[in-house]
Amino acid sequence: MFIALHIFSSKNSWSSPLGGLYFSFNCTCREAKNLPFIQYVICLAVIEAISREASSVLLENGITSGFIENLKIKWPNDIYYKNIKIGGILCHSSYSDGVYHVTNGIGLNLNNMAPTACINSLLCSVIEGFKYKEKKWNPPNLLNLEKIGKEKLLAKILEYFEDYYEIFDTKGFKALEPLYLSHWLHSRQKVNFREFDSQKSIALQIQGLSSTGCLLAVSERGEWYELSPDGNSFDFFSGLICRKL
């Protein structure tokens, strides 16, 4: 496993200021068809770990809701709080000795107040709002609030990943899919697409994941479609290819 204080890339451009949690680790996969699902297992481990650690902080302040329900997975590999991106996952694989070797990189905005909101600042805002509402806030001092620590969050992510990956490796992603879908942004989301090699516009409703790990959607006529990324766009919808099943 590799942990970094700051990261950069010559191929992609993103901000990774001090205070974030950035790390990578390796795993293996025997079958190529399972590779797309590894990022989903990691997303699930990350969001469950954040939820667990955030719950502990909130309970210390007498709060049981207002944060965890707003943590969501944006397909295929981003973590959001409401409409704010707070993390992402990148997976790269290579094949040798009869197995796929996968390097998984995770970046989370944990303590960096800029350039966007981070997990702990959002968590503190929820606590601040609760205490103000309960007339227990006098005056606000976010620096003195208990926060999610890097070491504990990292340990919890790896713990969840080990548990979920064992299930995935023995039973397939179907065993984890209901939990994964309970966290994602896209259930029954309505979108409009043009079918591959066609100018016809189709109204679709996202239902879940296909057997290949792509988005599974259904039309108003009950026809099923698979939505897959084209590999060239960072725009979630403009970079999808629509294929009728």
Side-chain angles (χ1 to χ4, degrees):
M1 184 176 67
F2 178 80
I3 304 172
L5 295 177
H6 180 76
I7 55 176
F8 68 93
S9 172
S10 59
K11 295 181 179 179
N12 298 310
S13 177
W14 64 83
S15 179
S16 53
L18 290 172
L21 174 59
Y22 316 113
F23 67 99
S24 64
F25 65 93
N26 298 328
C27 66
T28 59
C29 181
R30 293 186 297 272
E31 298 185 57
K33 67 179 182 180
N34 289 333
L35 287 173
F37 295 96
I38 293 177
Q39 61 188 331
Y40 306 155
V41 177
I42 297 172
C43 282
L44 190 53
V46 168
I47 206 165
E48 287 286 333
I50 296 173
S51 297
R52 178 69 176 269
E53 293 303 306
S55 292
S56 178
V57 174
L58 291 171
L59 286 174
E60 287 289 326
N61 290 274
I63 305 172
T64 58
S65 63
F67 183 84
I68 296 168
E69 58 269 31
N70 293 315
L71 290 169
K72 296 294 180 182
I73 297 170
K74 181 180 178 183
W75 184 87
N77 50 22
D78 288 331
I79 306 298
Y80 270 66
Y81 179 85
K82 295 184 178 179
N83 63 338
I84 303 170
K85 181 178 176 178
I86 57 173
I89 292 96
L90 288 174
C91 301
H92 296 280
S93 64
S94 60
Y95 185 80
S96 65
D97 301 324
V99 295
Y100 291 92
H101 302 269
V102 187
T103 299
N104 309 292
I106 295 92
L108 296 172
N109 294 338
L110 184 59
N111 281 319
N112 45 295
M113 300 295 287
T116 61
C118 65
I119 295 168
N120 275 324
S121 67
L122 293 166
L123 186 60
C124 288
S125 294
V126 171
I127 297 171
E128 179 186 11
F130 173 81
K131 291 187 177 291
Y132 181 81
K133 184 178 179 181
E134 296 295 315
K135 303 185 185 303
K136 298 177 181 179
W137 196 247
N138 185 29
N141 187 351
L142 301 183
L143 294 176
N144 292 333
L145 285 174
E146 181 183 354
K147 300 179 180 70
I148 298 174
K150 281 187 181 182
E151 293 82 4
K152 289 182 67 176
L153 181 57
L154 174 59
K156 189 60 66 175
I157 290 172
L158 295 176
E159 178 185 332
Y160 273 113
F161 177 77
E162 288 182 359
D163 292 343
Y164 291 149
Y165 198 77
E166 182 177 357
I167 295 171
F168 168 65
D169 194 42
T170 56
K171 299 180 180 179
F173 191 74
K174 277 294 181 183
L176 295 170
E177 189 170 343
L179 181 59
Y180 174 85
L181 295 180
S182 72
H183 286 299
W184 80 336
L185 284 167
H186 312 293
S187 294
R188 302 196 177 279
Q189 186 173 356
K190 294 181 179 180
V191 292
N192 289 299
F193 281 98
R194 284 188 174 88
E195 192 174 353
F196 185 62
D197 288 338
S198 172
Q199 295 300 312
K200 181 182 178 182
S201 180
I202 313 164
L204 301 176
Q205 187 180 74
I206 297 173
Q207 299 294 306
L209 294 172
S210 70
S211 60
T212 61
C214 298
L215 291 179
L216 186 64
V218 65
S219 70
E220 295 174 348
R221 296 183 177 182
E223 299 170 320
W224 290 90
Y225 290 82
E226 184 180 70
L227 309 178
S228 58
D230 65 1
N232 298 313
S233 176
F234 286 101
D235 188 304
F236 175 66
F237 286 121
S238 69
L240 291 178
I241 297 172
C242 180
R243 181 176 69 89
K244 188 176 180 180
L245 297 176

